[in-house]
Amino acid sequence: ITLTTTTNSVWMGRLDTLGNILWALKAENQTQSFVGPLAVHPGGDLFASVSYQGVNFVFGNINVPNASSQDYVVARIDTTGNIKWLNKFGGQGSESLGGIISDENGRLFGIGRNTNTLTLGTFTLPTPGLFLTELDAGNGSTQWVSGMSSPGGNVFGQAILS
């Protein structure tokens, strides 16, 4: 595998027990990209999040709509490096995930922050603050969202699932 990069690229991949690269995916755009939290499904698939700003964001071979300010994507990547699904989340301000976790039943939870109105699937949080959400591990759709308001959205959180 040959890894080529540009200034605003981030990489994620899988190694075997000897450290050989099994697969790698690049996320890049013309402004900024940041790998966010990662989680592993009980079956071995990877849940990955990437925050990005600006235009022309590409994750693997998927072109993602432009960000309003800072948006993020969550993707499920199988054990061979194929993207099973990718969903973009964003709103009128900056949004990012502080943590994602997959439980023993394969459910996917995320915690993050938003600085303005945020839309997650069919759910909308009208005020800045923290949010906790569950995504369907099969297709990435938002199952529910719970928000905690904080003026200015200057908060961040992480979650532990037990």
Side-chain angles (χ1 to χ4, degrees):
I1 294 176
T2 302
L3 305 178
T4 58
T5 188
T6 61
T7 304
N8 299 306
S9 300
V10 294
W11 289 92
M12 63 190 68
R14 184 175 222 124
L15 306 177
D16 65 18
T17 57
L18 299 175
N20 298 307
I21 299 171
L22 299 175
W23 59 261
L25 289 174
K26 178 169 61 169
E28 67 180 338
N29 71 348
Q30 295 176 347
T31 310
Q32 292 182 345
S33 305
F34 305 97
V35 173
L38 307 171
V40 179
H41 183 273
D45 290 356
L46 176 68
F47 295 110
S49 66
V50 177
S51 294
Y52 70 99
Q53 297 175 348
V55 299
N56 301 326
F57 178 68
V58 180
F59 188 101
N61 61 354
I62 299 173
N63 293 310
V64 181
N66 296 343
S68 57
S69 178
Q70 178 178 339
D71 292 342
Y72 69 93
V73 296
V74 176
R76 182 173 181 172
I77 304 163
D78 70 18
T79 58
T80 60
N82 297 306
I83 299 173
K84 287 186 170 182
W85 53 258
L86 180 140
N87 284 339
K88 174 190 180 282
F89 300 97
Q92 298 173 357
S94 294
E95 303 82 29
S96 58
L97 282 177
I100 57 174
I101 190 165
S102 179
D103 70 7
E104 68 276 358
N105 298 315
R107 296 180 305 170
L108 182 62
F109 300 91
I111 188 168
R113 65 137 182 103
N114 57 300
T115 62
N116 205 320
T117 301
L118 170 65
T119 301
L120 296 158
T122 60
F123 301 91
T124 299
L125 296 176
T127 58
L130 286 175
F131 64 88
L132 179 64
T133 186
E134 179 182 357
L135 301 180
D136 182 309
N139 63 20
S141 65
T142 304
Q143 301 302 294
W144 55 263
V145 177
S146 181
M148 180 181 75
S149 295
S150 171
N154 295 322
V155 294
F156 214 75
Q158 294 190 357
I160 298 174
L161 185 65
S162 62

